[in-house]
């Protein structure tokens, strides 16, 4: 079995996830010592950002002291974590701990086995620049004036008609020779249009929406475009200046070139180390019986490296912790996808063990800090107050947050959709282009129904698909559809909304508004909500008390 390419495996990671602080019932531990300077330095290397530091830096005289508080909190919290509370959750937590510790060790291994190559000379940098000049071009830029007419996605028919009318009127005025500055100041919805007369740029063409950039590339200075439809509305542009791609001077790109040369020199050294490790610690993989769609024997030994055996379940748990194959639901497929990385990682870890890297003081410190942080984070997420609420507290919570326990609204009616032919193979921009044709046709049909009193079939007879809305609730329809459907009144059409491949609209026959059930029917939900809210308040209080205890440590 081939190992994964080492550059995909041995990447340096930044552990930068947040921690919402809070504690269990027994939280203060004055025996925990004040973190030392080495801990602060290593912790800052591991975690570049932190909610606590972000808040405290504004007023903290000594930023390192904030880090010490953070390490202290993690240590106290992790000591209160109860692994037996939920064994399955604990298995996944330990897999996370192993993953982040391993990622750090892989980078630490690279630092210890590779000799950093010498930096390239001036002659080498210049030669590389000449050979790769086309890779260091400054992007093409455009400076232009524009009139922007806002037309939000899923807007009702009256808004679409008004936007169409304003856009066409603005274009007509420009065609008659009215000053672009005046039209932009009067008609544009862009912020600051009255002050800057619609001027934009210079901006890289690659940063502009493709609908806009593609048009600007074909224009000459002074040209005025036709209407340009974008996902946000209409644009009319007048090109001021178009600057093509130009070569950047060597001095501007020198750091990038040096980094690229160093990376190219390191690659063969890294590859040689990987080949050495694979030869010294050969792996035996028993994956012949794994077939996509077939059950996997979780207790069967799947991988053997340096006398250590790993079952299919252990490999699956490790793969899960990487979060790389979450969309693969079949265990066999997930194993086949993640095995190369797992095998290579275990081989490198064995080389680390032989070299004694896990026994260094820095590695021990890093491993402990990572473990404390993850245990603390998990304890906070799973902790709930153990106090039993009184009946009066529950009833008061119910009265205060009645809307939280209400039933969902529901509608009865019909959903109509128009699908763009061949939409499955179209790009998003192509779908959007054809969707506009549908939108205009449907708006015209609706205008006939609303203004001329034509029967509803006039609007719906051309629909690709008609689906009953049998007391549909929010959720399965999608956010945009729900937004339109549940804003409509009985006996009316909803606003138009985009579907995956076209346009949708709903006719509403009946509507059921939310109803708040009696307290007795939702008592269990009320208690869960009360516990969650109470726990958050208690966490905040306990954090303050914990930091007060920290301040007393000599």
């Amino acid at each position: 079995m081939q190992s994964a390419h080492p550059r995909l495996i041995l990447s340096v990671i930044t552990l930068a996830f947040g921690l919402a602080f809070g504690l269990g019932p027994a939280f203060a531990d004055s025996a925990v010592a004040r973190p030392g300077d080495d801990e602060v330095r290593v912790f800052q290397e591991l975690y570049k950002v932190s909610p606590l530091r972000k808040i405290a830096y504004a007023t903290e005289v000594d930023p390192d002291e904030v880090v010490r508080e953070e390490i202290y909190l993690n240590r106290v919290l992790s000591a209160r974590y109860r692994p037996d509370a939920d064994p399955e959750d604990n298995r996944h937590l330990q897999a996370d701990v192993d993953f982040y510790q391993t990622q750090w060790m892989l980078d630490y291994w690279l630092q210890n086995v590779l000799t950093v190559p010498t930096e390239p000379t001036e002659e080498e940098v210049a030669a590389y620049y000449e050979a790769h000049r086309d890779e260091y071009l400054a992007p093409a830029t455009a400076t232009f004036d524009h009139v922007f007419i806002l037309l939000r996605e899923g807007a009702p028919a009256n808004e679409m008609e008004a936007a169409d009318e304003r856009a066409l009127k603005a274009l007509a005025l420009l065609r008659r020779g009215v000053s672009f500055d005046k039209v932009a100041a009067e008609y544009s919805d862009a912020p600051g249009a009255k002050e800057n007369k619609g001027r934009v740029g210079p901006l890289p063409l690659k940063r502009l929406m493709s609908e806009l950039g593609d048009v600007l590339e074909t224009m000459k200075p002074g040209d005025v475009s036709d209407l340009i439809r974008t996902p946000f509305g209409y644009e009319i542009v007048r090109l001021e200046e178009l600057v093509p791609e130009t070569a950047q001077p060597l001095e501007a790109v020198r750091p990038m070139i040096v980094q690229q040369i160093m990376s190219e020199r390191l690659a063969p050294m890294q590859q040689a180390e990987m080949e050495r490790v694979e030869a010294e610690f050969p792996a035996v993989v028993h994956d012949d019986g794994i077939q996509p769609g077939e059950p996997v024997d979780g207790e069967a030994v799947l991988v053997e490296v340096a006398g250590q055996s790993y079952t299919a379940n252990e490999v699956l748990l490790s793969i899960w912790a990487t979060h790389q194959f979450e969309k693969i639901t079949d265990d066999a497929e997930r194993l086949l996808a993640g095995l190369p990385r797992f095998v290579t990682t275990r081989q490198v870890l064995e080389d680390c063990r032989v070299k004694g890297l896990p026994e260094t003081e820095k590695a021990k410190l890093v491993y402990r800090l990572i473990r404390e942080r993850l245990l603390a984070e998990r304890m906070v997420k799973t902790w709930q107050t153990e106090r039993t609420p009184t009946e009066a507290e529950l009833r008061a919570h119910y009265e205060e947050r009645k809307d939280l326990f209400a039933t969902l609204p529901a509608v009865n009616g019909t959903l109509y959709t128009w699908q763009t032919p061949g939409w499955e193979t179209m790009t998003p921009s192509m779908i959007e282009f054809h969707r506009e044709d549908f939108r205009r046709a449907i708006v015209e049909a609706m205008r006939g129904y609303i203004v001329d009193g034509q029967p509803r079939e006039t609007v719906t007879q051309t629909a690709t698909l008609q689906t009953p809305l049998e007391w549909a609730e929010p959720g399965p329809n999608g956010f945009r559809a729900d937004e339109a459907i549940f804003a409509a009144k009985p006996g009316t059409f909803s606003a138009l909304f985009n579907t995956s491949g076209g346009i949708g609209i709903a006719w509403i026959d009946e509507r059921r508004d939310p109803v708040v059930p009696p307290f007795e029917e939702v008592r269990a939900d009320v208690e869960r909500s009360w516990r969650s809210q109470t726990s958050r308040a208690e966490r905040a209080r306990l954090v303050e008390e914990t930091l007060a205890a920290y301040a007393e440590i000599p």
Side-chain angles (χ1 to χ4, degrees):
M1 177 179 178
Q2 294 294 321
S3 295
H5 193 287
R7 296 186 71 177
L8 297 176
I9 301 301
L10 305 176
S11 57
V12 181
I13 64 167
T14 301
L15 303 174
F17 42 86
L19 172 60
F21 295 107
L23 296 174
F27 65 94
D29 190 348
S30 58
V32 177
R34 182 180 295 274
D37 292 343
D38 286 346
E39 289 178 288
V40 171
R41 175 179 52 79
V42 172
F43 196 86
Q44 288 174 320
E45 290 176 5
L46 287 171
Y47 305 104
K48 307 297 183 184
V49 295
S50 154
L52 182 64
R53 271 175 275 161
K54 193 171 183 180
I55 294 169
Y57 269 155
T59 56
E60 181 62 53
V61 176
D62 180 9
D64 285 353
E65 189 62 19
V66 182
V67 180
R68 288 187 173 87
E69 291 180 354
E70 190 172 355
I71 296 171
Y72 173 83
L73 276 172
N74 286 344
R75 192 155 301 157
V76 174
L77 287 167
S78 62
R80 302 294 179 257
Y81 175 74
R82 298 191 298 271
D84 56 340
D86 187 340
E88 183 62 23
D89 186 64
N90 184 59
R91 286 178 65 247
H92 286 93
L93 169 60
Q94 299 307 324
D96 271 339
V97 172
D98 178 72
F99 170 72
Y100 286 106
Q101 290 176 339
T102 296
Q103 287 297 99
W104 180 86
M105 181 56 70
L106 296 181
D107 181 51
Y108 192 48
W109 174 81
L110 280 177
Q111 296 173 26
N112 281 272
V113 301
L114 294 184
T115 302
V116 178
T118 57
E119 289 200 9
T121 64
E122 287 298 316
E123 292 75 14
E124 289 172 323
V125 171
Y128 191 95
Y129 172 74
E130 289 300 327
H132 300 83
R133 185 185 289 265
D134 291 345
E135 299 175 15
Y136 299 99
L137 297 175
T141 62
T143 303
F144 57 94
D145 304 313
H146 76 140
V147 177
F148 169 61
I149 309 296
L150 175 66
L151 179 55
R152 61 187 178 86
E153 186 176 335
N158 62 330
E159 286 188 22
M160 290 186 281
E161 187 173 357
D164 290 348
E165 183 177 339
R166 286 179 62 220
L168 289 170
K169 188 171 182 179
L171 184 62
L173 289 172
L174 292 170
R175 291 283 184 258
R176 292 206 304 265
V178 177
S179 160
F180 200 101
D181 293 355
K182 182 177 181 180
V183 174
E186 184 175 350
Y187 284 85
S188 182
D189 293 322
K194 292 187 183 300
E195 292 75 25
N196 62 24
K197 307 300 188 295
R199 176 56 56 92
V200 176
L203 289 177
L205 284 176
K206 290 180 180 179
R207 282 181 51 191
L208 299 173
M209 292 174 291
S210 59
E211 297 88 348
L212 194 57
D214 291 347
V215 172
L216 286 168
E217 281 188 305
T218 66
M219 296 174 65
K220 298 177 181 178
D223 286 353
V224 176
S225 73
D226 290 324
L227 287 182
I228 305 169
R229 184 66 169 98
T230 77
F232 306 102
Y234 291 105
E235 293 270 9
I236 307 170
V237 296
R238 178 180 64 182
L239 180 63
E240 175 69 19
E241 182 182 27
L242 186 65
V243 178
E245 288 184 325
T246 55
Q248 298 185 73
L250 172 59
E251 289 306 314
V253 297
R254 181 187 301 278
M256 289 186 287
I257 292 177
V258 171
Q259 183 178 14
Q260 181 62 31
I261 293 175
M262 295 286 285
S263 177
E264 291 178 3
R265 289 178 177 178
L266 276 169
M269 298 166 60
Q270 181 173 315
Q271 182 64 38
E273 284 298 324
M274 289 306 307
E275 291 173 357
R276 176 188 63 78
V277 168
E278 289 174 356
E280 288 187 19
F281 308 102
V284 180
V285 180
H286 307 283
D287 60 349
D288 294 342
I290 298 178
Q291 298 296 329
E294 297 293 329
V296 173
D297 182 358
E299 298 305 318
V301 172
L302 185 59
V303 176
E304 297 176 69
V305 178
Q308 179 66 44
S309 299
Y310 303 92
T311 66
N313 281 341
E314 289 173 326
V315 176
L316 280 170
L317 193 60
S318 177
I319 293 172
W320 170 86
T322 69
H323 302 290
Q324 287 185 313
F325 306 102
E326 293 176 326
K327 294 183 179 179
I328 302 178
T329 57
D330 180 66
D331 282 349
E333 288 187 24
R334 192 184 298 114
L335 279 173
L336 293 174
L339 262 176
R341 182 190 188 283
F342 180 87
V343 171
T344 301
T345 298
R346 297 301 148 181
Q347 290 171 319
V348 174
L349 289 178
E350 184 60 25
D351 194 53
C352 290
R353 186 191 65 78
V354 171
K355 287 181 166 55
L357 297 183
E359 300 305 315
T360 63
E361 291 304 315
K362 181 171 184 178
K364 289 179 181 179
L365 175 57
V366 167
Y367 270 35
R368 177 166 59 79
L369 292 174
I370 290 174
R371 183 175 184 80
E372 288 174 351
R373 172 120 175 183
L374 290 173
L375 263 64
E377 183 183 50
R378 185 62 57 92
M379 202 221 79
V380 170
K381 286 181 178 178
T382 58
W383 184 77
Q384 289 287 331
T385 181
E386 296 178 357
R387 185 168 74 84
T388 301
T390 65
E391 193 72 8
E393 286 175 320
L394 289 182
R395 289 187 177 275
H397 186 74
Y398 169 78
E399 292 296 331
E400 179 186 349
R401 310 192 69 186
K402 271 188 174 180
D403 290 346
L404 185 66
F405 310 108
T407 60
L408 292 173
V411 294
N412 205 357
T414 308
L415 176 65
Y416 302 95
T417 55
W418 287 257
Q419 294 295 101
T420 305
W423 68 274
E424 299 92 339
T425 60
M426 290 184 180
T427 64
S429 60
M430 292 172 65
I431 291 176
E432 185 63 30
F433 175 80
H434 289 287
R435 184 185 280 140
E436 285 308 304
D437 290 339
F438 281 132
R439 187 188 295 276
R440 292 189 186 94
I442 297 166
V443 169
E444 288 301 316
M446 286 185 67
R447 186 178 292 114
Y449 168 74
I450 295 168
V451 176
D452 302 331
Q454 297 178 17
R456 178 155 55 100
E457 284 69 23
T458 303
V459 183
T460 62
Q461 62 187 353
T462 60
T464 307
L465 184 65
Q466 300 184 22
T467 308
L469 290 173
E470 296 179 350
W471 295 116
E473 294 182 342
N477 313 297
F479 173 74
R480 292 298 181 192
D482 285 344
E483 191 177 44
I485 291 171
F486 291 95
K489 297 178 180 179
T492 66
F493 280 110
S494 73
L496 292 169
F497 51 86
N498 291 345
T499 66
S500 58
I503 294 291
I505 194 171
W507 172 265
I508 309 303
D509 287 318
E510 301 175 83
R511 175 188 175 92
R512 284 200 304 234
D513 289 325
V515 175
V516 180
F519 170 78
E520 290 73 17
E521 292 184 13
V522 292
R523 191 183 189 286
D525 293 334
V526 174
E527 181 168 347
R528 278 192 293 271
S529 175
W530 178 90
R531 286 185 179 277
S532 177
Q533 179 174 293
T534 305
S535 296
R536 286 195 297 271
E538 289 185 10
R539 286 175 193 144
R541 177 180 60 81
L542 292 172
V543 164
E544 291 303 318
E545 292 182 17
T546 303
L547 293 179
Y550 168 78
E552 299 300 321
I553 298 176

